[in-house]
Structure formats: C-alpha cells, structure tokens
Amino acid sequence: MVATHRSPSDADVVVIGAGVAGLRAAAVLHEAGAEVVVIERSDAVGGRVRSDDVDGYVVDRGFQVLNPAYPALRRAVDLGRLGLQPFTAGLAVRDDAGLRRLGHPARAPRLLPGALAALVRNPGEAFALLRWVRPILVAGRAGHQLVPRLDHVPDLDLHAGLDAAGIDGELRATLEAFLAGVVLDEPGRVAQRYVLLVLRTFLLGNPGVPARGVRALPELMAAPLTGRLHLETEAASVRTVADGVEVSTSAGTVRARAAVCAADAAGALRLLDLPAPEPRGVVTQWWATDEAPAADALVHVDLRRRGPLVNTAVMTRAAPAYAPPGSHLVQGSALLSPGAGDAVAEQRMRTHAGEIYGVDTAHWRPIARHEIPEALPALPAPAGDRLGGVVALEGSVVVCGDHRSTPSLQGALSSGERAARLLLPRLGLAHPDHGARAARVARAG
Ligand SMILES: Cc1cc2nc3c(=O)[nH]c(=O)nc-3n(C[C@H](O)[C@H](O)[C@H](O)COP(=O)(O)OP(=O)(O)OC[C@H]3O[C@@H](n4cnc5c(N)ncnc54)[C@H](O)[C@@H]3O)c2cc1C
C-alpha cells in the first residue's frame, strides 16, 4: 500500500480525496508534469472501492464489479495487471417456474436458449427492446472517443421511457430486477439515458473482480503517486486566494495553484457547499459455506421480489481466491433505505438467498456485513449534464466524482480525467496524450 504520513507540502495542484476520481485526476496531472499532492482522510486509498481480509476470506466493502468495457478504466490502468476474474455473462432469474439462466448472446451461448425463450414468448416485445437499445448499439465520434449517441433519447425516467417504448411484462420485470442491483435504486425512477449507458457496458464487457479484491484497482492507480499521497489527512476548508488556493488540512495548510475536489457528495457539500444528489444505500451480507449454492458464477435475482435481496452471487465461482481452499463465499445485497430496519436483517437476507438458489442456508456462516447508506448518488431524470459533468468553481477549484457524473466507476474515473484536463492549460501543461510525458510548456503567470 502506498502511504505517506508526513505533512503535505505546497504543489501545483492539491487533490482532495483518493477515491478513483481523485486518483485518476492526480495521475493525469502527474503524467503531464504537474506537482501534485493528494490528501485523503481515511487510512487507505480507494474511497468506496475497498476490500478487507476477514478470517482468510476477501471481502469487498459492498458487492462491486469492474467492467473491462469501461473506456475510462481501460485508460486508467493496464487491465492485464488487474487479473480480472469474470462472472458468467448472463443472469440467473428465480421466478415461480424455477431458476432460469439467461445468457449473453455472444459471451455465454450455452445459456442462449433460456434467454431466447424468455424473449420469444413475446416477439413484439423483443422488437420493442431492440428499438429501445438501438441508440447504444451505434456509437458516434466525440473528439477522439467513440460514444453512443443519446441526444435523441428523451431525457425521461426509466419507467416513462419503457412505457413509451412499449416494453412491459416479463421482459421489463427481468430488466428491472437486474438493474435494481446495479443502480441501487428503484430502477423506474432512474434516468433512462444512464440506464442505456449501463446496458451498453454490459453488452460490451464481462464484469469481474480482481483475484484478491476490488482494492487492486485503486492500489494500482496509486502506485505512481508514491510520496505524493497523504493518508489520514482531512481537508477542513478550501479558500480561493489571489494566486491559487489554500486548503487547510488536519496536517497544516497546503497552498497550490489549483485544487481538485474529488471528495464524495457529502464531502463536497461540506467543503464547498455544493448541492449534492440524494444518496442511495445498500447493505451487503457475506456468508461462508463449504458447499456452493450454485455451480456457476452468475449473478442471481428474484423476479418475484419475495425478499430484500436485489442480487446474490457465489463470489468464489468467479474468484476462487476470495475464500480459503474448500470453502465458498456468497454475497447478498439489498437496498438500504432509511428505516429499512428488520427488513434487511441477516436472517431475512439469508432466507431469501436460500429461496433464490433453492438450497438450505442453515449452515451458512455470516462473516461480514456492510451497510453503506451513501453507496451511490441518485441519478433521476432529467440526467442533464450529469452524463458529462464536471463543475468548475471560481477558476482554480474543480470538482469531480461520481456525484457530478454517472454513479459508477466509469463516471468517477472519467470525471477525474476531465477535471485534470480542465486544469492543464491553466498550468501551462499539455495533456499527456498530446505530447511527451511531462511536456512542460512555458508556464502561465
Ligand atoms: C457497494 C457499492 C457497489 C458498487 N458497485 C459498482 C459497480 O459494480 N460498478 C461500478 O461501476 N460502480 C459501482 N459502485 C460505484 C463506485 O464505487 C463509485 O461510483 C466510485 O467508487 C466513486 O468514486 P469517487 O472517487 O467519485 O468517490 P469516493 O470513492 O467516495 O472517494 C471520495 C474520497 O474522498 C475522501 N474525502 C472525502 N472528504 C474528504 C476531505 N474533506 N478530506 C480528504 N478526503 C476526503 C473520502 O474518504 C474518499 O476516499 C459501487 C459503489 C458501492 C458503494
């Protein structure tokens, strides 16, 4: 782990927060030749992307997957070094008829008949679905990147969007059951433009987890920042001054020509009084068991919604090193809304997991539980500039993070990149893509 505890010194840019947005902003600035300091209030990098070792099990802080199709992830790290262990491309769906395995048409052809059976039951809806997802099947050029063209997609919530598209019945229920565990919200109230982007990444990539936990991502990103990273250092205030900014921290004042505020939504609200999107919460329960309840690494959902879980998966079917030899690790996640109380008690979550897999869970051992009330910033319709936003405040402070973008790793990483790109010209630096590393041109001012 990269960590520095000495006091942060002055720099070109001070980055507040070492989640993936802050780490990405810092990396782009550093590669371009800027002097960067990163201050992080907690004891490790990663923000919401953390993992712990618990009795020989690798336990992520909430069920979280990395999608190799995220363009910003591919730009941020060498994916090969993450050692991603993919889940099976598809979904296992529990309904009254039993457990159906629906496969990705290209990546899990073995499971295709089940998926087709679900669609062919109503060919009209299959056609409506194709029409609805068409905007994400074609990509247009924006600068040097290929991005889907969503400008013509009405900026409605998913509920209204699916109504307008004529998508209903089991197909809609399956889509919503899958999405609930991704957007950690009632899917109907999420912006459909964002949902379409999510579906595009699932069509293009097969999500997985690094062999020893999702923490591998921020740790890899932090490696080049050795000596510039200050853990357990909290920013208390950010002040714009004549020649830049002053950030007062628990370890003294840092002066810089500019600041990137990459704190989470609540942190940005505290520091800069920025309006924050409503948070969405999740509770993830981890169980150890000697017998895996499923033979494959599919994420499982309950179409009947007969319990609190929005999804469950056998982690060790994708990533065997998440448990000691001979043992398995299972996760179950439920939405955590204020007052959820007993509805998400461990026993209820375990019972529901048992119903989904169709197994007895009496012998499962609870080994960890994460209640995360601020897991994701909500993204209701209209999405507006959240699909591409970064906020510039008073010239020398730029705000990034998933609360300014889409609530995802892609959103956080790309907003970190954009924040850095916004500052580079002010620092008289070229983007690392546009010249040699550390191409320092004449500094302004
Ligand atoms: C349970 C869960 C599951 C998820 N699943 C997925 C998934 O499957 N796929 C996906 O793409 N995304 C997923 N996400 C979302 C993804 O993890 C986040 O969107 C992303 O990590 C946000 O990164 P960030 O850098 O914007 O914010 P954060 O990770 O919150 O980082 C902000 C950092 O700022 C620090 N900070 C705050 N205030 C201060 C201060 N005053 N001084 C110093 N430091 C400060 C915080 O300690 C934190 O480290 C999930 C999130 C959760 C919680």
Side-chain angles (χ1 to χ4, degrees), residues 16-22 39-42 46-49 61-65 70 233-235 262-264 267 271 282 372 375-376 401-402 407-410 412:
I16 302 166
V20 295
I39 58 174
E40 165 56 50
R41 72 171 168 210
S42 71
R48 274 166 276 165
V49 188
R61 295 195 184 170
F63 175 53
Q64 173 144 206
V65 292
Y70 281 151
T233 305
E234 178 160 10
D264 48 284
L271 280 172
V282 71
I372 310 170
L376 293 181
D402 66 345
S408 66
L409 294 166
Q410 164 65 23

Side-chain angles (χ1 to χ4, degrees), residues 58-123:
V58 176
V59 173
D60 295 328
R61 295 195 184 170
F63 175 53
Q64 173 144 206
V65 292
L66 312 188
N67 193 319
Y70 281 151
L73 182 64
R74 305 174 77 93
R75 291 193 294 271
V77 290
D78 173 357
L79 284 183
R81 294 186 60 198
L82 277 180
L84 277 186
Q85 319 267 294
F87 283 86
T88 307
L91 193 67
V93 178
R94 165 65 65 185
D95 61 15
D96 288 330
L99 195 58
R100 277 182 297 134
R101 292 176 161 76
L102 311 179
H104 186 293
R107 296 199 170 76
R110 182 174 61 85
L111 301 177
L112 192 57
L116 283 178
L119 293 177
V120 167
R121 232 179 273 178
N122 187 341

Side-chain angles (χ1 to χ4, degrees), residues 391-418:
V391 182
L393 290 172
E394 297 185 37
S396 44
V397 183
V398 187
V399 181
C400 63
D402 66 345
H403 54 105
R404 301 290 128 195
S405 183
T406 59
S408 66
L409 294 166
Q410 164 65 23
L413 289 166
S414 63
S415 83
E417 275 172 7
R418 281 195 301 272

Side-chain angles (χ1 to χ4, degrees), residues 57 286-294 314-320 322-330 365 367:
Y57 296 84
W286 303 90
W287 296 281
T289 167
D290 296 341
E291 261 174 58
V314 184
M315 301 302 293
T316 31
R317 288 298 189 207
Y322 266 54
S327 187
H328 285 278
L329 181 69
V330 181
R365 300 184 302 283
I367 60 161

